[in-house]
Amino acid sequence: MERRLPSAGFKRYLRRQPPVIASSTIEAANQEKGANAIRYAGFWMRLWAFLFDLLIVSAINAALVQSWLPFFQTSDHFFGFAVTTVFTPAILYALLFFAYFAGMTKAFSQTLGKMVFGLKVVAADGSPLTWRTLFFREGVGRFIQQAPLPLRFPLLAYIVVACTPKKQGIHDLFAETYVIHCD
């Protein structure tokens, strides 16, 4: 009796038909390259776009948070110093990070980094991105990728983009989204 691997169903799920994407995106792609013109963005393009976005978020963080932080720092006791020096900036940076990625993706289906590299986030069913989808993609999915787990698992989680057929990260799998080239 032959035994099947438990991941066979998951592999089939990843290989099913391509997503339905808005007709304007398909028409523009078909004019240039033919009928099968949907190109999923790979690991390296997404990495460069993400690094560009991190530069932008860090610059905004430096301008907004780090510029006023010295006015609120206290050295009266260790707890007050730790809160104003470590915890408050970390929480504000996390909120800024989420607001930037969710807001830009909701408004334009792209962040500035994705715009520079010609990438776009689309829903698997072709519908417009909703706040629910973005919460799972940018909130839950990225938290799982960046959570401080043993053995630096988050760094390994980004490799998923290179290994899946449709170049989806863990956050894309949660939200059922794809990142495509929009040339």
Side-chain angles (χ1 to χ4, degrees):
M1 179 174 215
E2 186 174 292
R3 186 174 177 195
R4 286 188 169 190
L5 295 174
S7 63
F10 184 68
K11 288 180 182 176
R12 258 186 260 119
Y13 168 76
L14 292 175
R15 289 187 184 135
R16 65 182 185 191
Q17 70 275 5
V20 178
I21 299 174
S23 61
S24 61
T25 305
I26 292 175
E27 289 172 10
N30 286 344
Q31 289 176 356
E32 292 182 14
K33 297 182 182 136
N36 293 330
I38 296 174
R39 291 186 313 143
Y40 300 106
F43 173 78
W44 291 109
M45 289 297 288
R46 292 177 68 165
L47 174 70
W48 294 121
F50 183 69
L51 291 176
F52 187 88
D53 287 328
L54 284 182
L55 285 173
I56 292 170
V57 171
S58 296
I60 294 170
N61 182 56
L64 296 180
V65 177
Q66 300 298 329
S67 63
W68 60 263
L69 189 63
F71 299 112
F72 294 103
Q73 288 180 343
T74 68
S75 59
D76 295 342
H77 55 288
F78 178 74
F79 181 73
F81 179 75
V83 167
T84 58
T85 307
V86 178
F87 300 122
T88 304
I91 290 170
L92 291 175
Y93 183 79
L95 291 173
L96 178 65
F97 184 90
F98 176 76
Y100 170 78
F101 279 95
M104 289 292 293
T105 306
K106 176 67 176 159
F108 304 106
S109 295
Q110 301 170 302
T111 59
L112 291 174
K114 287 182 180 72
M115 288 178 192
V116 167
F117 289 95
L119 306 176
K120 186 175 186 177
V121 179
V122 295
D125 60 358
S127 64
L129 297 171
T130 63
W131 284 112
R132 180 180 176 270
T133 302
L134 291 172
F135 174 76
F136 279 103
R137 184 177 197 278
E138 304 298 342
V140 176
R142 289 204 193 260
F143 175 78
I144 289 173
Q145 282 186 329
Q146 297 176 1
L149 298 174
L151 301 175
R152 291 305 300 156
F153 177 72
L155 296 177
L156 297 175
Y158 286 105
I159 304 299
V160 171
V161 173
C163 298
T164 56
K166 295 179 182 174
K167 310 299 184 200
Q168 291 176 289
I170 291 176
H171 57 291
D172 292 317
L173 292 170
F174 279 132
E176 296 180 355
T177 58
Y178 302 98
V179 178
I180 61 170
H181 289 272
C182 63
D183 297 326

